[in-house]
Amino acid sequence: MNSIEWINGRVRFLDQTLLPGEERYVETNDINAVAEAIRRLQVRGAPLIGIAAAYGVVLGMRDAPSASGEALEAALDASCALLTATRPTAKNLFWAVERMRSVARLKIHMGGEDVYRSLVSEAGAIHSEDAAMCAAIGAHGSTLVPTDAVILTHCNTGALATGGIGTALGIVITAHRQGKSVSVIADETRPLLQGSRLTAWELQREGIPVTLIPDTATAVSFHKKNIAMAIVGADRIAANGDTANKIGTYGVAILAKHHGIPFYVAAPTSTFDCGIINGAAIPIEERSRDEVAMCGPVMVAPRDVHVFNPAFDVTPHELISGIVTERGILRPPFTESIAALFGTRGAA
Ligand code: MRU
């Protein structure tokens, strides 16, 4: 399954808002449609958002081959601004857009044809590098998984969320392919149900046993279901290891700590933001009240009741046992291990 593809000058992506009921692909050559797809979570998951945005920049520069230098600059700035305004939390979005901007800038003096060709190739590289990073995360992370393990995960971090097999789910899938007897407890991940709609769907397709629980059953599952470890993904990791991920992750981490169960984060280096010293500075997206107050077309809260709907929370680094990256497993103290990974205390 390809959650996103570049085909002859067009982007083709699986509309994740329709899963698991319908597998419908959308094809477009319009940057506005890509921006809207990111905003609406038709395309979602930090690494996939970055890949989609990279292809979005290419689409925004469709007319580049015939444009003048000034027009190229203007189109590039407008495209990058449109895409970075879609969702604020996932670092991968900003990382990918900046990578695309830098490549374009280096080529502008050579003309629009070169700019366009380099952008197509850079977006493809971002996509294929993500697939490779997932595979490496899977290989490193699977060393943590016992031969017989129940693993709890939150939200969706698989092929639907990345350009490859996934991050946290990539670890589960790799361990399964190695012949380990893994099963997954997936919480439903209210309000948008990435756990039940997407993770349970992906795991079933992989033939990995999965038990779906309501978010409210997470505590009792840690208490009674012999969980070996929790593994989640990340949208942005600060220089001290504080990790923004799907709302509810913080609660999962606290529960894991209480029950003495290791809690791991899995993410590629494109998710790290070493320019942010701790989680307090990570921008957290707040989404519409209707995602909470409505269940499909049905109202499940009193009309006009005030709703707080943060899409992400920040798990403090003290609750994290390790961070699995494509370059190995980082251990506490994360300020040191992250600085060593990036070779500097500066921005990633
Ligand atoms: O709002 P979403 O569905 O884009 O949130 C996704 C998550 O929080 C994932 O856990 C995270 O992006 C990592 S995906 C490999």
Side-chain angles (χ1 to χ4, degrees):
M1 182 244 314
N2 282 322
S3 41
I4 199 162
E5 279 179 287
W6 177 255
I7 305 171
N8 298 328
R10 299 171 76 82
V11 177
R12 181 178 188 263
F13 61 84
L14 180 57
D15 181 348
Q16 300 190 27
T17 60
L18 303 176
L19 290 172
E22 190 184 342
E23 250 177 88
R24 189 194 299 165
Y25 286 85
V26 175
E27 216 177 290
T28 183
N29 64 358
D30 180 359
I31 181 177
N32 294 293
V34 173
E36 191 54 18
I38 295 172
R39 211 173 281 120
R40 288 191 52 228
L41 274 65
Q42 287 176 295
V43 165
R44 43 136 311 272
L48 192 70
I49 291 171
I51 295 164
Y55 287 132
V57 173
V58 182
L59 295 180
M61 301 299 282
R62 245 188 332 175
D63 299 329
S66 55
S68 67
E70 238 172 62
L72 287 173
E73 285 275 9
L76 182 64
D77 286 347
S79 301
C80 295
L82 174 69
L83 291 158
T84 52
T86 52
R87 297 189 73 189
T89 305
K91 174 64 181 175
N92 310 60
L93 167 64
F94 301 88
W95 170 87
V97 167
E98 284 320 310
R99 216 172 124 166
M100 296 295 283
R101 194 201 300 270
S102 309
V103 162
R105 285 252 163 85
L106 283 174
K107 295 283 174 178
I108 279 181
H109 69 284
M110 297 180 70
E113 190 77 54
D114 274 55
V115 169
Y116 187 78
R117 225 172 315 130
S118 318
L119 286 174
V120 172
S121 140
E122 191 67 9
I126 287 171
H127 193 169
S128 58
E129 285 169 25
D130 190 68
M133 290 193 283
C134 287
I137 288 169
H140 291 300
S142 62
T143 62
L144 300 166
V145 178
T147 47
D148 200 337
V150 180
I151 299 172
L152 185 133
T153 194
H154 183 66
C155 195
N156 171 265
T157 60
L160 289 170
T162 65
I165 57 169
T167 57
L169 272 201
I171 294 173
V172 171
I173 289 167
T174 305
H176 170 75
R177 290 180 183 169
Q178 288 166 346
K180 293 181 179 172
S181 172
V182 290
S183 64
V184 173
I185 294 184
D187 65 30
E188 59 180 351
T189 316
R190 275 274 293 157
L192 294 184
L193 304 175
Q194 288 92 333
S196 57
R197 292 190 306 105
L198 310 178
T199 297
W201 182 78
E202 277 199 51
L203 288 171
Q204 278 196 334
R205 286 165 62 105
E206 280 291 328
I208 298 174
V210 54
T211 301
L212 177 66
I213 58 167
D215 296 327
T216 40
T218 305
V220 76
S221 299
F222 272 120
H223 185 44
K224 297 210 161 146
K225 293 288 180 189
N226 200 25
I227 292 169
M229 62 209 301
I231 319 178
V232 301
D235 279 77
R236 196 183 288 235
I237 301 174
N240 70 343
D242 288 355
T243 294
N245 190 49
K246 180 51 53 193
I247 189 71
T249 303
Y250 180 22
V252 171
I254 290 170
L255 289 168
K257 181 80 157 187
H258 179 79
H259 292 90
I261 292 166
F263 176 90
Y264 291 101
V265 170
T269 44
S270 47
T271 302
F272 285 73
D273 188 348
C274 297
I276 282 186
I277 54 169
N278 62 45
I282 298 178
I284 299 294
E285 177 183 12
E286 281 190 38
R287 295 185 62 87
S288 94
R289 70 179 297 284
D290 283 356
E291 290 181 355
V292 177
M294 307 285 293
C295 192
V298 179
M299 209 155 66
V300 291
R303 190 182 305 280
D304 299 332
V305 70
H306 179 67
V307 170
F308 174 47
N309 182 22
F312 301 95
D313 57 26
V314 175
T315 298
H317 61 91
E318 298 90 343
L319 299 177
I320 301 172
S321 313
I323 304 177
V324 185
T325 76
E326 77 277 12
R327 287 159 61 185
I329 301 169
L330 305 180
R331 294 288 185 178
F334 292 117
T335 303
E336 275 78 51
S337 52
I338 291 173
L341 181 73
F342 289 101
T344 168
R345 287 180 178 273

